[in-house]
Amino acid sequence: MRVANYYGPGDLRVESVAEPDLGADDVRIEIAACGICGTDLHEYEDGPDLIPGEGDNHPLTGVSLPIPLGHEFSGTVTAVGNDVTGVEVGDAVTVNPAMVCGDCRYCDEGRHNLCESVANVGLSAESGGFADAAVVPAANVVQLPESVPVEYGALVEPFSVGVHATRRSGMQTGDSIAVFGAGPIGISIVQAARAAGATEVFVSEPRAKRREIAESVGATTTLDPTATDAVEAITDATDGGVDVAFEAVGIEPTFKAAIEATKRGGQITCVGISDDDVGLTPNELVVVERTINGSNGYLSGPLADREFEMVTSFLESGEFDPEPMITARIDLADIVEDGLEELLDPESEHVKILVEP
Ligand SMILES: [Zn+2]
Ligand SMILES: [Zn+2]
């Protein structure tokens, strides 16, 4: 079988490898589609970050370089281990890629997505989704409803990030929201917030194609922050700011804008993964009683199917539409040139590229 192995920054190789062993608790999945994520781009450009570094073994899974890449995937089950129940050959499934230790403080507290030794399929495990097939623990598998095309299962992971962020924000039905950044996660948040009853949905995004997609899935106003003052436009239209803002980029200008576009007493939820210094004065929170929190991935461990199944039911009901986000479908052999390099191009019009082996 073929797999895209990560060797280091700028070095991803599609190679022929032996089938991974199928453990008693594992399932083998023939992959239908795997989405390229911002995380993959970051690892390819500046990694390894979540991927173990040169000479390191991951503390939970023990894997070391090269590592198979790809964590947003779906497919059909072709084999199940001896102890597996509840998953059968022929099932259409998606995968919650997070693997947790089960005994750190955060796993004990039921907050498995904060696990101190978390590993992920496609970043720090034996298998990845940019491949013909993957072997994953049955506990990480989530069934797809029959009416949902199996390739859409590759979007369940990024949609789950949007669902988790919306739930973390405490957004209420009828609220106005603003989303800064309309990449796959920003667009997923737009859909999740609409499904949760957001009325006015502002999206600030410099790329025209992404604004267009945001509008097609429920944004009521889109703004180009390079042409207009997005904060001013939002505060004018909402009598002082939205109820909830989401930061889905992770840079200082969007971080500041998300805070300034939020009403007094409002909520800012940050999803953009970043080590940037974003500069903040206490009174942007204190005298106006704004609240900021972070949102990391989605529920995992024993709750691995919780938010993933919310997404699959929204896909089934049609409330979530992945199609506008999918801007290309490419072959595994072309993953570097037509996938990663294409998405890294700042002029790129792409949002989500699916690798279909
Ligand atoms: Zn991802
Ligand atoms: Zn843990």
Side-chain angles (χ1 to χ4, degrees):
M1 58 168 254
R2 296 171 306 160
V3 61
N5 265 332
Y6 177 93
Y7 281 81
D11 190 0
L12 185 76
R13 305 177 204 169
V14 178
E15 301 180 312
S16 276
V17 298
E19 291 275 335
D21 291 335
L22 183 75
D25 298 314
D26 293 337
V27 305
R28 181 188 184 277
I29 299 166
E30 193 167 287
I31 291 163
C34 182
I36 300 177
C37 173
T39 304
D40 301 319
L41 298 178
H42 174 66
E43 296 289 347
Y44 179 73
E45 221 182 7
D46 297 317
D49 184 10
L50 299 173
I51 293 175
E54 192 79 54
D56 294 340
N57 291 81
H58 191 276
L60 187 66
T61 57
V63 299
S64 57
L65 292 174
I67 301 266
L69 200 65
H71 62 272
E72 304 180 353
F73 63 100
S74 58
T76 306
V77 174
T78 52
V80 300
N82 288 334
D83 296 344
V84 171
T85 53
V87 185
E88 288 173 15
V89 170
D91 286 355
V93 297
T94 183
V95 172
N96 181 324
M99 302 160 96
V100 300
C101 79
D103 59 27
C104 72
R105 171 180 174 182
Y106 303 101
C107 284
D108 274 351
E109 291 176 356
R111 302 200 65 183
H112 300 85
N113 67 321
L114 307 181
C115 173
E116 288 174 339
S117 7
V118 66
N120 281 282
V121 177
L123 289 165
S124 41
E126 299 279 357
S127 272
F130 300 130
D132 292 315
V135 169
V136 303
N140 290 66
V141 160
V142 178
Q143 302 279 346
L144 289 171
E146 234 165 74
S147 64
V148 174
V150 63
E151 57 157 16
Y152 284 176
L155 277 300
V156 174
E157 195 263 6
F159 270 125
S160 297
V161 175
V163 163
H164 188 70
T166 305
R167 292 165 63 82
R168 287 277 300 153
S169 78
M171 194 215 96
Q172 308 263 325
T173 186
D175 277 356
S176 57
I177 70 153
V179 180
F180 290 82
I185 298 305
I187 291 171
S188 296
I189 291 170
V190 169
Q191 301 202 44
R194 282 298 262 186
T199 48
E200 283 173 287
V201 177
F202 299 87
V203 171
S204 173
E205 161 63 48
R207 295 190 216 186
K209 172 79 178 170
R210 291 182 173 204
R211 291 197 301 275
E212 212 177 279
I213 295 169
E215 277 169 27
S216 77
V217 298
T220 52
T221 306
T222 58
L223 300 154
D224 174 2
T226 63
T228 15
D229 185 331
V231 170
E232 198 179 282
I234 293 167
T235 47
D236 283 355
T238 54
D239 189 23
V242 289
D243 297 299
V244 179
F246 296 89
E247 202 288 331
V249 187
I251 57 174
E252 183 170 348
T254 46
F255 189 86
K256 282 183 171 299
I259 292 168
E260 288 166 13
T262 303
K263 71 175 186 184
R264 295 180 180 213
Q267 166 75 36
I268 301 98
T269 294
C270 301
V271 195
I273 293 173
S274 167
D275 291 320
D276 284 13
D277 193 325
V278 290
L280 179 65
T281 56
N283 277 348
E284 285 173 274
L285 304 179
V286 177
V287 298
V288 286
E289 293 196 345
R290 290 182 179 120
T291 307
I292 303 187
N293 68 357
S295 181
N296 181 41
Y298 28 75
L299 298 177
S300 54
L303 302 176
D305 55 3
R306 193 70 68 90
E307 288 168 336
F308 273 55
E309 282 179 354
M310 293 175 190
V311 173
T312 59
S313 53
F314 282 132
L315 287 169
E316 200 176 16
S317 67
E319 266 161 302
F320 282 4
D321 183 7
E323 197 56 45
M325 291 155 74
I326 304 170
T327 50
R329 294 167 166 86
I330 63 169
D331 190 83
L332 179 57
D334 304 321
I335 183 171
V336 173
E337 207 176 318
D338 296 346
L340 298 166
E341 295 289 352
E342 187 68 37
L343 285 165
L344 285 169
D345 178 355
E347 306 283 293
S348 169
E349 298 271 82
H350 287 290
V351 176
K352 185 58 76 183
I353 296 180
L354 292 187
V355 178
E356 301 188 340

